[in-house]
């Protein structure tokens, strides 16, 4: 939304976050009063200021003070981003950035969690009214939550995706839904489905003749992106997989209230999808799942995708942009911030690997590889620039801010 105002005789366009009141509302979306809306607006503005105004100054401070000091002390430049990160730790600009960003995330979680907690029972009742007895919700109370999820509250979210405070609880899903506006600085679509829409367009662009009958989306949380995929392929059965029961309850209620019928929500660990037969799936997607799983789990997930896909089926994983020599060591160090300060232990390491190597290890052929970069770059309000190309990521793609997509065809 652009709003013009006069600034010294010139028209200036507003380029900040849209108003929180433009967020999409559905039957189980938490009620928010005036103060809660303004708190989300404030936090989204602060997040965007941190990322857009303060973060770029870290590179300036590094070149002006941090690197010269390191050279004086060591007689050489830093050899890798680990040395840069340690050198940045005493730099006031990085401290300023890091402290503000961590505080912004904690306040985002507090704001969303308070909204959800104060109406927890009401939200659970609304979700139950829409989902009780519906076979499209398949929960597994015996499922063991992976330790890499139970050992840390991802991105400072208390209870992560799976915690339940009472039977039928959807608190964490409601928090995730109403507060994600802040996480993306108010840049995503009102229904939080921008990334899902980008992936659907990328798949259709690269495989115009693909007519999937069954699609599996891994790590779906509340299904906000899976709904875009379900809408893009209305004749397909979409199966949203997640370990968190609260997410799945809320997700089905949300989908039904939005009129999306060709989707079901299944509680399962993406490393073991043995409930589905070999070669029974046409398209498998994941959106920002991989940076939240361990490397042994990642290998199992890739192996499962190869097993599940029929001949000609497609897999597409979208996640954080990787690092190459095209990215400065300072930028690489700043990119690692989430691993050290935002409870994302695998974020840093995922940037170092080539997902296509893992696809090849799982059985996909090199000649089937494709990529898209960026797959989603609207943090700052840019138009979708997604382009899908054959092969692996070229080094220059690592300079993109947005999420990258790595894929293959069986």
């Amino acid at each position: 939304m652009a709003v013009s105002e006069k600034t010294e005789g010139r028209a200036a366009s507003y380029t900040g976050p849209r108003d929180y009141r433009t967020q999409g509302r559905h039957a189980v979306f938490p009620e928010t009063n005036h103060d809660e809306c303004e708190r989300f607006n404030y936090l989204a503005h602060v997040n965007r200021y941190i990322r857009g105004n303060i973060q770029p100054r870290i590179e300036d401070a590094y070149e002006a003070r941090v690197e010269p000091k390191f050279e004086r002390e060591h007689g050489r430049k830093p050899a890798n981003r680990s040395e840069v990160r340690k050198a940045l730790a005493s730099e006031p600009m990085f401290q300023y950035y890091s402290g503000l960003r961590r505080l912004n995330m904690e306040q985002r979680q507090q704001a969303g969690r308070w909204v959800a907690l104060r109406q927890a029972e009401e939200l659970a009742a609304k979700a139950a009214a829409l989902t009780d007895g519906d076979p499209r919700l398949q929960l597994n109370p015996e499922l063991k939550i992976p330790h890499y999820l139970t050992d840390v509250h991802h991105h400072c979210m208390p209870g992560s995706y799976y915690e339940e405070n009472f039977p039928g609880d959807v608190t964490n899903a409601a928090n995730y839904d109403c507060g994600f506006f802040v996480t993306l600085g108010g840049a995503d679509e009102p229904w939080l489905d921008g990334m899902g829409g980008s992936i659907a367009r990328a798949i259709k662009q690269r495989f115009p003749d693909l007519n999937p009958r069954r699609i599996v989306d891994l790590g779906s949380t509340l299904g906000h992106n899976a709904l875009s995929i379900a809408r893009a392929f209305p004749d397909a059965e979409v199966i949203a997989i997640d370990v968190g029961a609260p997410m799945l309850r809320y997700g089905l209620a949300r989908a039904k209230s939005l009129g999306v019928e060709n989707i079901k929500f299944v509680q399962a660990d993406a490393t073991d999808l043995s409930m589905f037969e070999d070669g029974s799936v046409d398209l498998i997607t994941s959106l920002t799942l991989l940076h939240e799983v361990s490397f042994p789990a990642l290998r199992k997930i890739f192996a499962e995708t190869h097993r599940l896909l029929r001949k000609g089926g497609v897999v597409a994983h979208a996640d954080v942009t990787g690092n190459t020599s095209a990215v400065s060591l300072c930028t690489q160090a700043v990119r690692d911030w989430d691993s050290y300060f935002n409870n994302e232990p695998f974020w840093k390491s995922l940037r170092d690997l080539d997902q296509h190597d893992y696809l090849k290890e799982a059985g996909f052929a090199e000649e089937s590889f494709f990529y898209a970069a960026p797959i989603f770059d609207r943090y700052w309000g840019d138009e979708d620039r997604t382009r899908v190309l054959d092969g692996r990521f070229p080094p220059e793609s690592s300079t993109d801010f947005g999420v990258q997509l790595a894929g293959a065809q069986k």
Side-chain angles (χ1 to χ4, degrees), residues 61-62 103 112 125 165 183 195 197 224 243 248 280 310 361 373 389:
Y62 175 75
L103 180 62
N165 298 305
T183 306
M195 194 180 300
H224 47 303
V243 297
L248 299 167
S280 62
R310 66 166 176 80
E361 179 183 291
L389 300 168

Side-chain angles (χ1 to χ4, degrees), residues 47-59:
N47 185 17
R48 190 174 292 207
Y49 182 80
I50 294 168
R51 303 295 293 277
N53 295 74
I54 300 176
Q55 184 171 319
R57 303 285 76 78
I58 297 174
E59 191 94 31

Side-chain angles (χ1 to χ4, degrees), residues 253-267:
R254 184 180 187 274
K256 291 179 72 171
S257 74
L258 293 174
V260 181
E261 300 294 332
N262 60 323
I263 188 169
K264 66 180 181 181
F265 291 77
V266 177
Q267 187 177 16

Side-chain angles (χ1 to χ4, degrees), residues 43-44 47 51 104-105 108-109 155 176 179-186 342 379:
L43 291 171
N47 185 17
R51 303 295 293 277
N104 183 255
M105 180 56 79
R108 169 264 173 274
Q109 296 296 349
H155 36 74
Y176 191 93
F180 205 66
F181 172 87
V182 175
T183 306
L184 287 180
N342 197 32
Y379 194 98

Side-chain angles (χ1 to χ4, degrees), residues 137-257:
L137 178 63
Q138 300 178 14
L139 302 182
N140 178 10
E142 303 304 316
L143 179 70
K144 183 178 180 181
I145 307 298
H147 71 87
Y148 52 79
L149 291 179
T150 59
D151 288 352
V152 64
H153 293 170
H154 283 83
H155 36 74
C156 303
M157 183 169 69
S160 191
Y161 303 100
Y162 60 87
E163 185 179 84
E164 299 181 68
N165 298 305
F166 58 88
D169 188 18
V170 295
T171 300
N172 282 11
N175 169 28
Y176 191 93
D177 195 15
C178 73
F180 205 66
F181 172 87
V182 175
T183 306
L184 287 180
D188 200 359
E189 304 295 342
W191 299 106
L192 304 180
D193 56 359
M195 194 180 300
S198 292
I199 280 203
R201 289 189 293 275
I203 295 299
K204 288 194 168 191
Q205 182 185 135
R206 176 63 178 78
F207 303 98
D209 298 325
L210 185 68
N211 184 29
R213 309 304 299 176
R214 174 182 273 183
I215 300 170
V216 171
D217 183 59
L218 304 175
S220 291
T221 63
L222 49 88
H224 47 303
N225 288 305
L227 292 195
S228 287
I229 295 169
R231 290 189 179 105
F233 299 100
D235 295 327
E237 173 195 38
V238 177
I239 304 170
I241 302 289
D242 203 88
V243 297
M247 296 286 168
L248 299 167
R249 291 190 196 100
Y250 187 94
L252 179 59
R254 184 180 187 274
K256 291 179 72 171
S257 74

Side-chain angles (χ1 to χ4, degrees), residues 100-388:
L100 283 176
R101 192 172 167 201
R102 171 72 184 211
L103 180 62
N104 183 255
M105 180 56 79
E106 290 182 356
Q107 289 180 332
R108 169 264 173 274
Q109 296 296 349
Q110 291 166 358
R113 192 162 172 80
W114 168 245
V115 167
L117 281 172
R118 71 171 176 80
Q119 50 195 303
E121 290 80 7
E122 181 182 351
L123 290 171
K126 289 179 179 179
L130 285 165
T131 62
D132 280 357
D134 193 320
R136 288 175 295 171
L137 178 63
Q138 300 178 14
L139 302 182
N140 178 10
E142 303 304 316
L143 179 70
K144 183 178 180 181
I145 307 298
H147 71 87
Y148 52 79
L149 291 179
T150 59
D151 288 352
V152 64
H153 293 170
H154 283 83
H155 36 74
C156 303
M157 183 169 69
S160 191
Y161 303 100
Y162 60 87
E163 185 179 84
E164 299 181 68
N165 298 305
F166 58 88
D169 188 18
V170 295
T171 300
N172 282 11
N175 169 28
Y176 191 93
D177 195 15
C178 73
F180 205 66
F181 172 87
V182 175
T183 306
L184 287 180
D188 200 359
E189 304 295 342
W191 299 106
L192 304 180
D193 56 359
M195 194 180 300
S198 292
I199 280 203
R201 289 189 293 275
I203 295 299
K204 288 194 168 191
Q205 182 185 135
R206 176 63 178 78
F207 303 98
D209 298 325
L210 185 68
N211 184 29
R213 309 304 299 176
R214 174 182 273 183
I215 300 170
V216 171
D217 183 59
L218 304 175
S220 291
T221 63
L222 49 88
H224 47 303
N225 288 305
L227 292 195
S228 287
I229 295 169
R231 290 189 179 105
F233 299 100
D235 295 327
E237 173 195 38
V238 177
I239 304 170
I241 302 289
D242 203 88
V243 297
M247 296 286 168
L248 299 167
R249 291 190 196 100
Y250 187 94
L252 179 59
R254 184 180 187 274
K256 291 179 72 171
S257 74
L258 293 174
V260 181
E261 300 294 332
N262 60 323
I263 188 169
K264 66 180 181 181
F265 291 77
V266 177
Q267 187 177 16
D269 184 339
T271 65
D272 179 12
L273 299 175
S274 52
M275 72 280 288
F276 302 117
E277 296 179 355
D278 295 2
S280 62
V281 178
D282 303 290
L283 173 62
I284 298 175
T285 59
S286 79
L287 297 88
T288 62
L289 163 72
L290 301 182
H291 74 264
E292 295 189 347
V293 304
S294 68
F295 283 112
L298 187 146
R299 280 194 163 92
K300 291 178 182 178
I301 289 170
F302 278 39
E304 278 290 80
T305 62
H306 188 269
R307 179 186 70 80
L308 287 174
L309 284 175
R310 66 166 176 80
K311 183 66 174 176
V314 174
V315 59
H317 296 291
D319 219 298
V320 295
T321 303
N323 286 322
T324 69
S325 58
V327 181
S328 73
L329 290 180
C330 181
T331 296
Q332 291 183 35
V334 174
R335 283 179 171 183
D336 289 347
W337 183 90
D338 290 85
S339 280
Y340 293 98
F341 303 108
N342 197 32
N343 294 9
E344 296 280 12
F346 307 111
W347 182 283
K348 171 180 178 289
S349 301
L350 184 65
R351 291 189 183 276
D352 289 334
L353 62 83
D354 185 336
Q355 293 179 37
H356 287 105
D357 285 343
Y358 285 73
L359 288 168
K360 189 171 185 177
E361 179 183 291
F364 292 95
E366 180 86 25
E367 56 269 23
S368 77
F369 292 169
F370 64 93
Y371 72 93
I375 188 66
F376 180 73
D377 63 346
R378 291 200 55 199
Y379 194 98
W380 310 123
D382 297 337
E383 292 300 318
D384 189 343
R385 299 182 289 122
T386 300
R387 297 293 180 271
V388 188

Side-chain angles (χ1 to χ4, degrees), residues 1 14 16-23 37-38 41 45 181 186:
M1 180 186 304
Y14 172 71
R18 55 186 170 78
D19 192 281
Y20 185 77
R21 294 165 185 82
T22 65
Q23 255 333 65
C37 289
E38 291 309 322
N41 277 330
H45 275 273
F181 172 87

